[in-house]
Amino acid sequence: MLDNLLKQQNFSREDLISLLSVKGDDTQKVLDRALEVKAATVGRKVYLRGLIELSNVCAKDCYYCGIRKSNKHVNRYTLTDEEVYQAADFAWRKGFGSLVIQSGELTSPAFVSHIEQLLKGIHQRTNAELSITLSCGEQPYEVFKRWQEAGAHRYLLRIETTNKKLYYQIHPENALHAYEKRIKALEDLRKAGYQVGTGVMIGLPEQTIADLADDLLFFKSLDIDMVGMGPYIEHAETPLFEKFMLLWPASERFRMSLLMLATLRLLMPDINMASSTALETLDPLGRQSGLLAGANVVMPNLTPVINRINYQLYNNKPNLDKDPALSTSSLNQVIEAIGEKICYYEPGNSQHFLKRQG
Ligand code: 5AD
């Protein structure tokens, strides 16, 4: 039964629920099939994106996130331009091919032009040889367009969960956090010409396997180019921490995250998928496990070490004290040891996107 399911190329909602419901040894069977499909489509190649956590100043108040506006224990920072350029230069010299600029969500004109200036500045300093992904939240179409014209190629905006009821259990129910606004932003990103990425958190309190299957179908219906998804990890200084008792055990959130990656690789074989930092938080080998479950992107953290303590989206975020030079020096070895190959000096565009472009 599972063997037949794994050979399929199209999957119904019921099929996806079956795949996500496997237990015991069958889990490994699904992961192995995903690795096979990955090898046959995008190849056993890994693309690097240097992650720059630009600022933890945030106008939003998401119930799960450690840097939410109402968390008064966070020291707010914004990297200097010089710090950003140094991180970009590091990525460029190391042949990473690509950067992600992530930030707390702001929509002020000053923030919009700051990002625009950084994009131009980075391209100028790196001979326009880095492809850049932004992860700076919901913005009006005009802002997405402006940033795209300033040199951003890709945009990550997680839907977090597609179950609207659950969405409002993890976000305040108001105009600033409206579900419809998130959907509209994802559509606008596509119109503005980006490679579009979204994703969800896995193992949220009260989330079901059927919800996760619906999340996968949402990615498919949006014809998404890239996905970043990983386990939900509680943060003690957030309102959602109250539901700690309802959580699946961390090991189960980890296993479900791998199953989600694997199942999505079967459903959308040619997209880019990141092996998330949150996976690494739950297991020191989590990054490798993600790659072996079908992911093909890794995002080494290039944020200056002194700021990392203040960019804690969840508890126990790893590599708080690791200098970028140190945390990336062993990367090649670790990834080759599992039979994958890092592609240096390549942008690592989503094949799914390139095919749609024709
Ligand atoms: N656990 C896991 N992921 C989280 N994120 C934010 N808070 C948490 C948490 N507590 C993720 C969200 C967001 C991304 C930047 O980080 O999915 O989109």
Side-chain angles (χ1 to χ4, degrees):
M1 163 70 186
L2 178 61
D3 291 335
N4 288 337
L5 192 53
L6 289 173
K7 283 187 208 133
Q8 287 177 203
Q9 304 210 330
N10 294 305
F11 299 90
S12 66
R13 183 169 187 265
E14 284 63 40
D15 294 338
L16 296 175
I17 291 176
S18 300
L19 287 169
L20 296 173
S21 301
V22 298
K23 294 267 183 286
D25 293 346
D26 283 348
T27 301
Q28 196 56 44
K29 265 195 180 176
V30 179
L31 306 188
D32 289 348
R33 177 63 185 150
L35 185 58
E36 224 174 83
V37 168
K38 172 172 113 164
T41 50
V42 290
R44 294 196 62 181
K45 298 175 182 167
V46 177
Y47 299 98
L48 301 181
R49 283 84 171 89
L51 174 64
I52 303 176
E53 293 157 335
L54 174 69
S55 173
N56 63 1
V57 181
C58 192
K60 290 213 165 171
D61 232 354
C62 309
Y63 296 148
Y64 47 85
C65 183
I67 65 166
R68 63 197 299 270
K69 185 179 182 197
S70 299
N71 187 357
K72 302 291 178 233
H73 302 288
V74 176
N75 290 317
R76 303 289 165 174
Y77 75 87
T78 300
L79 298 183
T80 64
D81 291 1
E82 204 37 53
E83 285 171 323
V84 173
Y85 294 143
Q86 272 183 22
D89 190 57
F90 178 88
W92 187 47
R93 278 186 288 112
K94 295 276 179 186
F96 277 23
S98 185
L99 281 183
V100 177
I101 301 178
Q102 190 175 85
S103 173
E105 257 186 80
L106 297 175
T107 50
S108 63
F111 180 73
V112 172
S113 58
H114 185 205
I115 298 287
E116 185 174 42
Q117 290 316 308
L118 287 174
L119 288 165
K120 290 181 180 165
I122 291 169
H123 283 314
Q124 207 169 39
R125 283 165 178 79
T126 58
N127 212 12
E129 286 170 0
L130 290 173
S131 61
I132 304 184
T133 304
L134 293 179
S135 177
C136 301
E138 288 164 14
Q139 304 288 340
Y141 173 81
E142 295 70 34
V143 172
F144 288 148
K145 194 70 205 161
R146 235 173 101 182
W147 288 346
Q148 195 254 348
E149 282 165 3
H153 306 89
R154 314 186 181 122
Y155 207 103
L156 282 174
L157 183 65
R158 289 188 180 180
I159 183 75
E160 314 297 359
T161 174
T162 56
N163 177 331
K164 203 163 157 183
K165 183 163 170 263
L166 185 57
Y167 193 90
Y168 287 119
Q169 288 171 15
I170 66 169
H171 298 100
E173 194 160 355
N174 60 32
L176 188 60
H177 298 83
Y179 179 84
E180 284 73 23
K181 232 176 116 193
R182 182 69 54 106
I183 303 280
K184 164 95 170 35
L186 285 165
E187 290 164 359
D188 284 349
L189 285 166
R190 171 58 48 74
K191 279 191 212 131
Y194 286 91
Q195 294 177 46
V196 182
T198 189
V200 293
M201 287 181 287
I202 297 154
L204 288 162
E206 298 178 77
Q207 192 176 39
T208 65
I209 286 184
D211 290 332
L212 293 171
D214 287 335
D215 292 341
L216 297 179
L217 288 171
F218 172 83
F219 301 156
K220 179 87 178 170
S221 71
L222 233 66
D223 200 26
I224 221 74
D225 304 305
M226 349 182 272
V227 163
M229 60 182 170
Y232 164 68
I233 301 172
E234 63 281 6
H235 188 299
E237 291 161 1
T238 62
L240 205 58
F241 192 72
E242 283 173 18
K243 294 195 177 173
F244 181 69
M245 300 301 288
L246 297 175
L247 291 178
W248 298 338
S251 58
E252 185 59 7
R253 279 176 270 156
F254 184 79
R255 189 185 72 93
M256 281 307 300
S257 298
L258 296 182
L259 267 180
M260 280 287 280
L261 287 171
T263 305
L264 185 56
R265 181 56 76 196
L266 303 183
L267 185 68
M268 303 186 76
D270 58 358
I271 61 170
N272 277 348
M273 282 198 307
S275 183
S276 69
T277 312
L279 273 178
E280 208 185 334
T281 306
L282 294 187
D283 183 326
L285 300 178
R287 186 185 260 172
Q288 291 93 306
S289 303
L291 294 174
L292 292 174
N296 66 334
V297 167
V298 165
M299 295 165 50
N301 195 340
L302 303 184
T303 308
V305 172
I306 49 161
N307 299 109
R308 290 193 197 178
I309 186 83
N310 294 315
Y311 205 88
Q312 296 252 46
L313 307 181
Y314 40 80
N315 288 150
N316 306 319
K317 208 166 152 235
N319 305 327
L320 275 187
D321 53 354
K322 270 199 212 144
D323 188 74
L326 285 178
S327 56
T328 55
S329 63
S330 58
L331 203 61
N332 204 46
Q333 212 183 335
V334 164
I335 287 176
E336 290 204 341
I338 58 164
E340 304 275 314
K341 188 165 175 45
I342 298 183
C343 299
Y344 292 100
Y345 301 98
E346 284 187 44
N349 287 312
S350 162
Q351 284 195 22
H352 192 74
F353 176 81
L354 296 177
K355 280 185 209 155
R356 180 165 358 86
Q357 296 293 95

